Amino acid sequence: MGGPSERTCGGVPWLDFSGFNVCYKLSDMLDPGPTRTFVFLDERPETLSESVFFLSMNGYPDQPNAMSFFDYPGQYHDGVGSLSFADGHTELKKWLDSRTTPRQLTPSGSGYPPGVASPNNRDLFWLQDRCTRKTR
C-alpha cells in the first residue's frame, strides 16, 4: 500500500518495487481487489523500524525458491496474526510455516539482515497473494 515516490524507496536496491503494482488509492486495487488486499497487519516488534511492513514480492508467483522475509508478521494470538483489508473486513491467519514465527529475530536497525531466505514458505505466499500483482 502506498509506497515510496520512487520505485526503489530512496535508491535502496533491496526495496525495489519495479515490476509490481503499487496502490495509492482504492481505485488502484483492481487485482487482487479490495477484498483480497491487506492494508494493515500485526508486525513483530523486532522488525518495526520504518513504520511500514515491507513484504518482499521476490519469488511471487512462480519462483517460490526465491521467497524471502524482510519484516515478519505478528503472532500475538497463539501463532495467529490479524490483518485488515481494503474493503474494511478483518481476518485472523494461523501461520503454518515455522519460519514465519521464529522464536528470536535480530532486532531492526544496524545489523538487521535484509532478505532472510524462506523458500516455498506457504505463509509468505499467502501474504504475497493478498498484496499486489505483477504489472502488465
Side-chain angles (χ1 to χ4, degrees):
M1 261 344 91
S5 57
E6 68 261 2
R7 303 296 289 178
T8 60
C9 197
V12 179
W14 52 271
L15 291 178
D16 188 357
F17 300 102
S18 298
F20 286 90
N21 293 322
V22 176
C23 298
Y24 295 97
K25 55 189 177 199
L26 191 62
S27 61
D28 293 338
M29 296 177 201
L30 302 175
D31 186 13
T35 61
R36 289 186 43 91
T37 304
F38 77 87
V39 180
F40 300 106
L41 75 162
D42 289 336
E43 183 177 345
R44 291 278 297 262
E46 300 95 333
T47 61
L48 282 170
S49 63
E50 64 286 308
S51 74
V52 299
F53 180 83
F54 179 72
L55 176 64
S56 170
M57 294 303 290
N58 291 345
Y60 184 82
D62 54 0
Q63 295 177 344
N65 286 327
M67 291 179 173
S68 59
F69 274 111
F70 284 76
D71 293 336
Y72 285 78
Q75 56 182 23
Y76 305 112
H77 312 284
D78 196 25
V80 174
S82 58
L83 300 94
S84 64
F85 288 74
D87 69 342
H89 85 276
T90 60
E91 289 185 22
L92 296 177
K93 169 65 175 147
K94 174 74 172 170
W95 305 120
L96 304 173
D97 190 307
S98 62
R99 296 171 295 170
T100 307
T101 57
R103 286 193 159 218
Q104 287 189 307
L105 288 171
T106 303
S108 298
S110 63
Y112 179 65
V116 177
S118 194
N120 299 298
N121 184 322
R122 58 187 166 170
D123 296 327
L124 193 46
F125 183 87
W126 188 91
L127 286 166
Q128 291 172 328
D129 197 49
R130 286 152 182 81
C131 183
T132 187
R133 296 290 187 263
K134 288 190 173 195
T135 54
R136 298 174 192 193

